[in-house]
Amino acid sequence: MTDACTLHDPITRAIYDALTAAEALEAAFANAERVGLLNEERFERGGDLNRGELSVESFSRDEIHALRDLAESLEPAILGETQTWFVHDECDMSGGHEESAITRQGDALIWLRSSLRNLADRLSDVVRLQEAEQLTIALQ
């Protein structure tokens, strides 16, 4: 169990949040695997993240950009798993509206995209706090 006192340090708290996000990403990868999505090349890069593991190298701007790029690359596949149609208003009062449905694979892709973005944001928090600490020390 995490000691609540150690989480008062902003960097420690941000690292804890990143580790929690990595666990959530591991669950999203497992779900994607259950629906048959992980046989694609784009997920080979997931490597350690597929197992929810972070390393010191994970806390870098390059890793953050790579996670965001991977999340963005899922967009076309998500759109391909989404069907949208227009429902006309019976009384012709509102002009109608759009409705959409998504497959299980699309739902898994959305969960994976969200988890990738969340981890990238949590890693970014750590990197920014580390940089702020370094600047503070340099300015003193």
Side-chain angles (χ1 to χ4, degrees):
M1 187 78 186
T2 304
D3 182 2
C5 295
T6 61
L7 294 180
H8 290 296
D9 171 42
I11 292 178
T12 303
R13 179 63 196 191
I15 292 170
Y16 177 82
D17 291 343
L19 291 170
T20 302
E23 288 177 2
L25 180 58
E26 178 184 15
F29 269 116
N31 184 54
E33 187 172 26
R34 274 192 298 279
V35 298
L37 292 173
L38 290 190
N39 54 358
E40 297 183 35
E41 293 173 12
R42 77 172 136 236
F43 299 116
E44 288 179 19
R45 197 212 152 299
D48 292 338
L49 296 175
N50 191 351
R51 295 181 297 281
E53 297 174 8
L54 293 182
S55 64
V56 173
E57 293 80 23
S58 300
F59 295 89
S60 70
R61 294 221 177 264
D62 289 339
E63 184 68 17
I64 294 164
H65 292 300
L67 287 168
R68 289 188 174 140
D69 288 345
L70 181 56
E72 189 65 31
S73 75
L74 298 178
E75 287 299 322
I78 291 169
L79 289 174
E81 298 294 331
T82 305
Q83 183 180 24
T84 304
W85 61 92
F86 189 80
V87 178
H88 293 280
D89 181 8
E90 290 179 16
C91 298
D92 202 20
M93 303 273 293
S94 68
H97 63 278
E98 283 188 356
E99 291 185 6
S100 61
I102 192 159
T103 65
R104 284 182 46 213
Q105 287 81 8
D107 190 47
L109 287 167
I110 289 171
W111 184 11
L112 185 57
R113 179 189 61 190
S114 176
S115 296
L116 287 163
R117 287 178 177 169
N118 184 42
L119 180 56
D121 289 345
R122 300 300 66 84
L123 292 175
S124 180
D125 290 344
V126 174
V127 169
R128 282 183 285 139
L129 285 166
Q130 288 173 328
E131 289 172 353
E133 188 173 81
Q134 290 169 357
L135 281 171
T136 302
I137 291 169
L139 292 172
Q140 292 177 352

